[in-house]
Amino acid sequence: MSITAPPGFGKTSILAEWLADPASPACVAWVSLDDRDNSARTFWRYALTALAGATRSAEQALAVLEAAEAPIDAALTALVNELDLSADEVVLVLDDFHAIEDRDILHGVEFLVENAPPNLRIVLAGRADPALPLGRLRASGRLVELRAADLRFTEHEVADYLRATVGDVLAPAESAALAQRTEGWIAAIQLAAISLEGRTDASDFVQNFAGDDRHVVDYLMEEVLRRQPAALRTFLLDTSVLGRFTSDLVEAVTGAPAGAAALESLERANLFLVPLDDRRGWYRYHHLFAQMLRARLLVETPQRVGMLHERASEWFEKSGLAEDAILHAVAAGRFDRAAALISAEAPTLRRRRDESTLVRWLELLPRPTVRASATLSLGLAGALLSVGRVDEVDELLESAATGAPTDELRAVEGGVALYRAACALAGGDVKGAAEQAQLAADLAADGDHLARGSALGLIGLTRWSRGNLSDAETSWSVAVEQLRLADHVSDSLGGTIALTDIAMAQGRLGHAAALARDALSIAQASDPPLKGASDMLVALATVLLERDDLEGARRCLAEADDLGDDNGLPQNRHRLLTLTARLHLSEGDADAAIAAFDAAERAYTPDFFPDHRPIAAQRARAYLAAERHQDARDWLRRRGLAIDDELTYLTEYEHLTLARILLADGAEPTTAARVTELLERMLDSAEQGGRRGSAIEVRALLSLSHARQGRLNQALETLQSAVRSAEPEGHVRPFADEGERMARMLTLLARSTPRDLHLRRLIDATNTTPAPDRSARSVPLGPPLSEREFDVLRLLRSDLGGAAIARELSVSLNTLRTHTKSIYTKLGVTSRREAVTRATQLQLL
Amino acid sequence: MPSHLPGSYRSGVTSTDTPPTCYAIRVAGHLDAGWAVWFDGMHITTESGGTTLLRGDLADQAALHGILNRLRDSGLPLLSVNIDHSRSTS
């Protein structure tokens, strides 16, 4: 239900009246909103607390929301599910919903409206239409609307109202004139009724009023105020600066005792006092009335306004209500005071990762005030950086660097260095970033885990960007530990992503998996899991895929998907999609892979991590698999990579892709020679940088490149060492991704080392997609051949006769016959020719 | 900024990179000149026919919307909003 009308049309009253009706739903949750509720977590805390007070079925959702760092969507999903199971008829009233502008809140309310079970009714009351897809709701018949026209009092109703409040003081024509002049606007009619009370000249009053062009409420307010005792009039004007108040607060602001008595007399006089039902002891004035009082106060005694706000600010500070204290300090023009209040709140906001509130508050201050304070400049710079607004950061850091007080010099300088490092890294200046990050780490105090963790993370990033993996790993390990100590768990999970990526490049799959599993168990220890659990599942799936455990990778991705986007750090969406694409590719579905890479590219959210596997390059490989060589070459041309480029870690993946494209294009031996030369350089670079994972892939490609040049021995030798280095950690995909030609090479290699288990796995995986002779491979193997039997089998393939073979092996003819009989039995064949054919099918040779 | 704080205190958000625009806003009902303070110093003229014209420089769209919200919250029916090219804000 949506109730939209200007203030004073009785939205709240009509709702309260409807809900008081015995036929109305029994469980009512009423939330009165104002501008301060524009933060999703605050908003839903109020709403779910109100709902939990109305129905037990909302308690679970509230518990979910209160769990630290839990995504809000999880709480709303719990609410919908629990309500669906409940027999309670529930009404959620969001009063003054026009005050809500925050997109996350609107998104959540939309979700709730769209998914509400039939026993939940949502009422949005406000002065403007809510920013929700009303048209769609209207069309589906699920929206009840009340607008100003529905709420206007008719002449008849106006007459009834006046008779009930002030008695028969007006003639029918006069009451009709009043209805016409006020257009049935109930607030105006109420003011008129107050003005009429105890009047002997009621007719004159109506006549004057009807003949005046002044704004209805302005006119009536003056009438009402004129008739109040001077003290009460001053009280009303003074307290109008308050958005909400208690008796204690009004005493502090007016400087007069007996605030409670004053509020009581207002209530008796029916002077628009509204109790805030969700905050006991709190009141506000009716919006329209308050608006008129404030305007009048500003006109009559503008010099008092600042003092009143300042008193309010002091009271709110003492009561621990920081936001109100800050806003009133700003309204009082006491920016120094507001600045001090904001500084005191900043650490709490940062721990909650609520930098947007910090930006909002700091932007209430004039820039010169911010610039004059080192801590404020630094705070605003950091908060702006974290919300991605970098344009002004430099200047703010400059102010911070020059204006730090001596007792905070070290901390401020450390902070400045940290943010400068982040800016430099964002701008691609790795060297500058490294220097500043080191400075920040040096300046961080021993117990300042957050500062140390952040600085070391940035140092780790600069080392990683330069391909210096082992040093990057050292920094990141400390950073993750420090962030955990600082209780910034989600940030520490982000650091774990860096550590697993680095371990993967180093070829340490087992270590990467262990890191991801450990971090996952930390994240999953909370219910619901902490933000970042999904990222850990994606990291784990990456390792599993590398080992060709497609089923395991699929399971992890499904689990990550179930956790929802909200559980992921900002980069998780594109990481998840990228891995999904690679999974498709491994399953042999290149088209699906390309589509998923497209989606990943659209979801791409850059951060400070080096983009060491650009999505476009990964997609270019999928183009090759889909036989769309032209598209792959187009990527290459756009990317502007060349075979004789200088090598950097950051372009390693792309240069490997370049090598693949050139080799895939039926390369001439001269091209292959140049590719070989590139790959040899890359191998050097990977080995020097300790990137064993990369080296495996380079060797695999190098082997294909040698083969293309007709250098079979070198090809097999290189492949052999690639297989050797892939074995300890179980790398499979670097081979399997190469398809048919790699399968042939591996089969060739298997002739010389037939009992190599990892080699068999590689052959199996490489042949999986496409699988031309699946039937042959599906024949179960008998007991394995002995080493001697393999030797015999190899010679059976030759043209040598039995005696020559026996001589070759230095055994007697009888011994040879024993071996051949055993081989025939194990292979299930009866002749030498059958044995050779079968062994070839089974790729034993 | 909460609506109970007058717009003239919105100190942090004044834009300096674009020159202000002069707007002419017409509402139904007469307002006396005292209301100017409440509407960020806009010049107030009552017109025959029971309407009031508010005219003045506003820094940006945010300031304009602040004024419009304020009019709505005072229950003043909005009749028109125009850019005043004559720029005589006196």
Side-chain angles (χ1 to χ4, degrees):
Chain A
M1 181 191 265
S2 151
I3 305 183
T4 312
F9 268 84
K11 298 182 288 292
T12 305
S13 312
I14 199 170
L15 261 174
E17 220 170 281
W18 171 60
L19 291 170
D21 189 297
S24 295
C27 310
V28 179
W30 188 297
V31 186
S32 306
L33 299 163
D34 64 38
D35 320 63
R36 282 163 309 188
D37 300 327
N38 269 303
S39 139
R41 200 157 283 276
T42 314
F43 175 90
W44 289 112
R45 197 180 303 122
Y46 286 149
L48 291 177
T49 305
L51 276 166
T55 167
R56 297 205 55 174
S57 54
E59 285 170 5
Q60 171 69 17
L62 182 60
V64 169
L65 185 81
E66 295 293 351
E69 302 183 62
I72 288 163
D73 279 4
L76 296 184
T77 308
L79 176 66
V80 168
N81 291 337
E82 293 289 319
L83 275 173
D84 201 23
L85 298 172
S86 163
D88 288 347
E89 292 285 323
V90 182
V91 179
L92 171 63
V93 178
L94 300 173
D95 197 7
D96 285 331
F97 193 69
H98 62 266
I100 300 303
E101 290 167 344
D102 182 89
R103 294 177 69 91
D104 287 342
I105 300 179
L106 291 169
H107 175 81
V109 171
E110 184 178 339
F111 169 85
L112 202 55
V113 168
E114 300 262 327
N115 294 286
N119 57 334
L120 171 64
R121 261 169 283 191
I122 299 166
V123 181
L124 304 173
R127 294 173 214 164
D129 275 341
L132 298 174
L134 292 181
R136 195 159 76 222
L137 293 167
R138 218 175 266 138
S140 65
R142 290 188 295 147
L143 179 69
V144 178
E145 279 179 285
L146 285 181
R147 313 194 65 90
D150 306 306
L151 296 171
R152 287 188 199 281
F153 275 42
T154 61
E155 282 185 16
H156 189 70
E157 286 165 338
V158 171
D160 282 352
Y161 176 82
L162 290 174
R163 204 170 304 119
T165 48
V166 291
D168 277 323
V169 294
L170 294 183
E174 288 164 344
S175 134
L178 195 64
Q180 220 165 19
R181 173 73 169 102
T182 58
E183 295 175 339
W185 186 6
I186 183 59
I189 298 162
Q190 278 175 295
L191 282 169
I194 295 168
S195 305
L196 281 168
E197 252 170 86
R199 235 187 231 275
T200 48
D201 56 345
S203 301
D204 290 348
F205 167 75
V206 174
Q207 222 174 343
N208 288 339
F209 176 43
D212 197 299
D213 270 342
R214 258 172 86 188
H215 178 40
V216 176
V217 174
D218 189 29
Y219 181 97
L220 291 170
M221 274 292 294
E222 193 168 285
E223 282 295 315
V224 170
L225 286 179
R226 209 156 46 86
R227 291 158 55 84
Q228 304 304 325
L232 188 59
R233 194 172 183 281
T234 309
F235 179 89
L236 284 169
L237 290 175
D238 282 359
T239 50
S240 73
V241 300
L242 302 168
R244 55 169 179 163
F245 45 83
T246 63
S247 55
D248 200 32
L249 172 56
V250 296
E251 281 173 21
V253 167
T254 58
L263 291 181
E264 263 170 45
S265 71
L266 285 183
E267 217 164 2
R268 264 200 313 278
N270 195 17
L271 281 174
F272 300 96
L273 199 62
V274 182
L276 298 181
D277 10 35
D278 51 341
R279 292 158 187 147
R280 184 172 288 279
W282 285 89
Y283 298 86
R284 63 171 173 82
Y285 288 120
H286 186 278
H287 294 306
L288 186 63
F289 187 63
Q291 191 84 347
M292 295 294 139
L293 286 173
R294 285 166 202 151
R296 196 161 293 276
L297 173 71
L298 211 55
V299 173
E300 292 185 7
T301 50
Q303 71 283 2
R304 282 176 70 77
V305 176
M307 179 265 292
L308 294 168
H309 278 297
E310 192 168 343
R311 286 177 180 172
S313 173
E314 281 163 11
W315 187 90
F316 277 115
E317 184 193 3
K318 262 188 284 177
S319 311
L321 294 162
E323 172 139 30
D324 298 79
I326 292 164
L327 294 175
H328 280 292
V330 170
R334 286 289 313 276
F335 300 122
D336 53 333
R337 181 178 166 74
L341 289 164
I342 296 171
S343 299
E345 286 299 307
T348 316
L349 290 173
R350 272 195 286 268
R351 193 166 318 112
R352 291 209 314 249
R353 294 303 304 268
D354 192 0
E355 279 96 351
S356 55
T357 297
L358 196 54
V359 171
R360 191 159 51 82
W361 287 354
L362 285 169
E363 293 209 313
L364 293 172
L365 301 177
R367 275 296 189 274
T369 306
V370 176
R371 290 279 177 80
S373 152
T375 16
L376 290 182
S377 301
L378 187 63
L380 184 56
L384 286 173
L385 258 180
S386 76
V387 296
R389 287 171 47 188
V390 292
D391 43 318
E392 207 193 339
V393 169
D394 259 354
E395 294 165 49
L396 284 164
L397 289 177
E398 197 54 48
S399 318
T402 50
T406 40
D407 55 331
E408 289 170 25
L409 197 57
R410 197 183 156 103
V412 169
E413 281 179 346
V416 169
L418 187 68
Y419 295 143
R420 282 202 171 133
C423 284
L425 201 54
D429 173 12
V430 177
K431 187 166 170 286
E435 285 165 9
Q436 292 293 334
Q438 188 56 55
L439 183 59
D442 293 343
L443 287 166
D446 276 345
D448 194 345
H449 300 306
L450 182 59
R452 280 191 70 74
S454 310
L456 279 158
L458 277 168
I459 293 175
L461 283 174
T462 59
R463 290 173 166 175
W464 186 10
S465 299
R466 289 164 160 176
N468 186 352
L469 297 188
S470 64
D471 287 346
E473 191 204 354
T474 312
S475 317
W476 269 113
S477 303
V478 182
V480 166
E481 183 192 299
Q482 293 288 317
L483 290 170
R484 277 185 197 162
L485 284 174
D487 217 16
H488 281 232
V489 180
S490 287
D491 285 337
S492 84
L493 294 179
T496 304
I497 299 178
L499 282 174
T500 56
D501 274 1
I502 291 169
M504 295 281 293
Q506 290 173 322
R508 299 160 69 199
L509 299 186
H511 182 60
L515 284 169
R517 284 208 175 92
D518 281 356
L520 183 61
S521 66
I522 291 175
Q524 284 181 332
S526 304
D527 183 30
L530 295 184
K531 209 178 177 77
S534 178
D535 304 68
M536 295 303 105
L537 284 162
V538 173
L540 190 54
T542 310
V543 178
L544 295 177
L545 181 65
E546 198 68 11
R547 289 177 165 166
D548 203 42
D549 179 359
L550 303 189
E551 190 46 46
R554 258 179 233 124
R555 264 202 314 275
C556 286
L557 285 182
E559 217 178 307
D561 232 13
D562 282 350
L563 285 172
D565 281 354
D566 262 10
N567 181 272
L569 298 169
Q571 284 72 33
N572 196 47
R573 190 75 210 142
H574 76 247
R575 283 173 162 264
L576 193 149
L577 286 166
T578 304
L579 196 67
T580 307
R582 289 180 57 201
L583 193 58
H584 285 314
L585 203 53
S586 305
E587 291 162 342
D589 191 345
D591 292 336
I594 291 166
F597 279 130
D598 288 344
E601 195 169 56
R602 283 194 297 274
Y604 184 69
T605 313
D607 61 354
F608 290 133
F609 280 24
D611 191 11
H612 57 112
R613 282 184 167 219
I615 293 168
Q618 300 199 45
R619 185 175 47 207
R621 295 185 180 194
Y623 285 144
L624 289 182
E627 303 284 340
R628 287 166 60 177
H629 291 198
Q630 187 55 48
D631 288 323
R633 274 199 304 274
D634 284 347
W635 166 78
L636 192 54
R637 206 189 48 246
R638 274 198 309 278
R639 187 64 188 81
L641 290 174
I643 203 160
D644 46 8
D645 285 339
E646 201 177 313
L647 299 176
T648 67
Y649 164 60
L650 281 183
T651 56
E652 183 174 66
Y653 186 87
E654 292 174 301
H655 277 116
L656 277 170
T657 310
L658 161 98
R660 272 194 171 74
I661 293 172
L662 294 181
L663 287 176
D665 264 2
E668 297 291 315
T670 47
T671 311
R674 298 185 64 206
V675 172
T676 301
E677 191 263 336
L678 167 71
L679 290 169
E680 274 166 348
R681 283 197 296 140
M682 291 188 71
L683 186 58
D684 266 359
S685 149
E687 283 184 331
Q688 271 170 24
R691 299 191 298 277
R692 292 210 312 277
S694 313
I696 295 169
E697 195 183 335
V698 177
R699 279 207 172 86
L701 267 181
L702 192 53
S703 147
L704 294 181
S705 170
H706 281 311
R708 177 70 77 186
Q709 287 175 271
R711 290 150 49 171
L712 198 58
N713 281 343
Q714 253 168 306
L716 287 174
E717 238 169 68
T718 311
L719 189 58
Q720 171 74 359
S721 68
V723 173
R724 284 285 66 76
S725 57
E727 190 176 6
E729 296 273 353
H731 286 87
V732 174
R733 288 321 303 180
F735 303 88
D737 287 344
E738 297 308 322
E740 224 178 302
R741 270 176 307 144
M742 178 55 77
R744 281 203 300 274
M745 290 295 295
L746 288 168
T747 311
L748 269 178
L749 184 64
R751 284 184 190 161
S752 53
T753 50
R755 278 141 300 113
D756 187 323
L757 264 181
H758 193 63
L759 186 52
R760 288 305 307 269
R761 270 188 68 194
L762 294 181
I763 292 170
D764 279 353
T766 311
N767 273 332
T768 306
T769 49
D773 53 353
R774 191 179 286 272
S775 59
R777 284 187 301 110
S778 67
V779 172
L781 263 170
L785 302 182
S786 73
E787 196 168 340
R788 203 60 177 159
E789 285 163 353
F790 267 112
D791 295 340
V792 175
L793 187 60
R794 255 198 305 279
L795 290 167
L796 287 178
R797 268 173 57 115
S798 67
D799 297 324
L800 298 177
I805 292 174
R807 251 197 322 277
E808 184 75 31
L809 294 171
S810 312
V811 295
S812 74
L813 208 54
N814 263 339
T815 310
L816 178 65
R817 285 209 185 99
T818 316
H819 284 316
T820 49
K821 258 169 88 178
S822 168
I823 293 170
Y824 291 177
T825 312
K826 286 177 178 173
L827 293 180
V829 296
T830 52
S831 71
R832 175 174 177 176
R833 221 171 83 185
E834 277 180 74
V836 170
T837 311
R838 179 56 116 204
T840 312
Q841 277 176 348
L842 292 172
Q843 295 166 2
L844 293 175
L845 294 171
Chain B
M1 194 78 177
S3 58
H4 67 277
L5 306 178
S8 47
Y9 293 108
R10 294 161 189 248
S11 38
V13 286
T14 45
S15 151
T16 48
D17 32 11
T18 48
T21 309
C22 183
Y23 286 95
I25 302 171
R26 187 165 282 116
V27 296
H30 278 169
L31 284 177
D32 62 47
W35 279 79
V37 198
W38 188 242
F39 293 111
D40 284 2
M42 290 188 93
H43 190 73
I44 291 181
T45 325
T46 51
E47 303 174 315
S48 59
T51 58
T52 300
L53 187 68
L54 290 84
R55 205 175 53 198
D57 286 342
L58 294 174
D60 50 21
Q61 285 284 307
L64 174 62
H65 281 283
I67 295 288
L68 295 180
N69 280 346
R70 205 157 280 259
L71 289 169
R72 176 193 73 189
D73 294 348
S74 305
L76 283 158
L78 184 63
L79 299 175
S80 68
V81 180
N82 291 300
I83 289 178
D84 186 348
H85 291 290
S86 65
R87 294 196 49 82
S88 50
T89 57
S90 61

